[in-house]
Amino acid sequence: MHIKLYNCILAKKYIFMRTRIKRCISSSVDNYNCILEDETLQTNIEKIVKCSIKAFKDDKKMLFCGNGGSASDAQHIAAELSGRFCVNRPPLYAEALHVNSSYITAVANDFGYDYTYSRMVEACGRNGDILVGISTSGNSSNVVKALEKAQKIGLTTVGLTGSQGGEMSGVCDIMIKVPSDETPRIQE
């Protein structure tokens, strides 16, 4: 009797899991379809590509910042640019601003976490460089402060965020607002 009950419970969990997996995939596909229909978003992607090509041709760099999963995304994108992506090519100067843990913890301790990225932008950002801020909400204060500092120095500021854009909307030259409010869809 117990084995039949156990097998029944397992079967229901399996069906629930399959349904949830399909729902996640469907949600992702729906999000990409929204992106396919969003001319403004596609235009902004094109602007970023053109801006990036110009910056790299002019021997400028691209900096990235974000927190948590967005920091991982920042580091991954920087690695693809400075390493290689799809084809062998010369490396491009791209860096995620959080990779120096001693710097991050020292600035967070001495000045506050809100200034971790803006101080690094001040240290290494130059006119003509690009700063990409990544925040699913668009309201990460250390990312917003970094974008503000970047604008003062003359960097092109790019925001990658969710549909609302948050505070980053006011400090980015170009925004990619993923048409979703769900963190997994935004991060994809």
Side-chain angles (χ1 to χ4, degrees):
M1 178 68 174
H2 293 292
I3 292 174
K4 282 185 173 181
L5 180 62
Y6 179 73
N7 286 339
C8 182
I9 291 170
L10 280 180
K12 286 182 180 180
K13 284 186 177 183
Y14 174 77
I15 291 168
F16 173 76
M17 185 178 4
R18 277 297 188 126
T19 301
R20 188 166 183 200
I21 290 168
K22 287 181 179 181
R23 211 175 347 173
C24 288
I25 293 169
S26 178
S27 176
S28 184
V29 169
D30 290 346
N31 196 47
Y32 280 109
N33 283 329
C34 286
I35 291 169
L36 276 171
E37 296 171 11
D38 189 332
E39 291 295 323
T40 300
L41 193 143
Q42 292 176 38
T43 298
N44 285 347
I45 292 171
E46 185 178 359
K47 286 179 185 177
I48 293 168
V49 170
K50 288 178 179 178
C51 177
S52 300
I53 290 169
K54 180 180 179 349
F56 288 130
K57 281 184 176 179
D58 292 345
D59 201 28
K60 301 297 180 177
K61 63 186 160 294
M62 185 176 280
L63 305 171
F64 296 87
C65 62
N67 299 301
S70 296
S72 296
D73 293 337
Q75 193 167 347
H76 186 185
I77 298 167
E80 296 290 8
L81 291 169
S82 58
R84 73 174 211 118
F85 182 71
C86 293
V87 296
N88 287 328
R89 55 157 170 74
L92 303 169
Y93 191 172
E95 192 67 56
L97 298 179
H98 68 277
V99 296
N100 183 338
S101 59
S102 296
Y103 164 82
I104 291 289
T105 57
V107 171
N109 184 63
D110 296 345
F111 298 95
Y113 193 76
D114 285 355
Y115 299 94
T116 51
Y117 292 138
S118 62
R119 288 186 63 80
M120 187 56 87
V121 168
E122 186 175 3
C124 67
R126 299 294 177 262
N127 188 309
D129 291 344
I130 300 169
L131 175 64
V132 179
I134 307 172
S135 169
T136 55
S137 69
N139 294 318
S140 299
S141 59
N142 61 338
V143 174
V144 171
K145 287 187 183 313
L147 292 162
E148 290 170 343
K149 179 62 74 174
Q151 281 191 326
K152 289 178 185 171
I153 296 171
L155 281 73
T156 299
T157 54
V158 174
L160 305 179
T161 188
S163 65
Q164 302 305 310
E167 294 177 38
M168 286 173 41
S169 294
V171 292
C172 289
D173 299 313
I174 309 168
M175 289 285 289
I176 299 298
K177 295 181 186 178
V178 175
S180 178
D181 295 320
E182 294 180 45
T183 299
R185 299 300 77 82
I186 297 166
Q187 289 178 336
E188 287 171 352

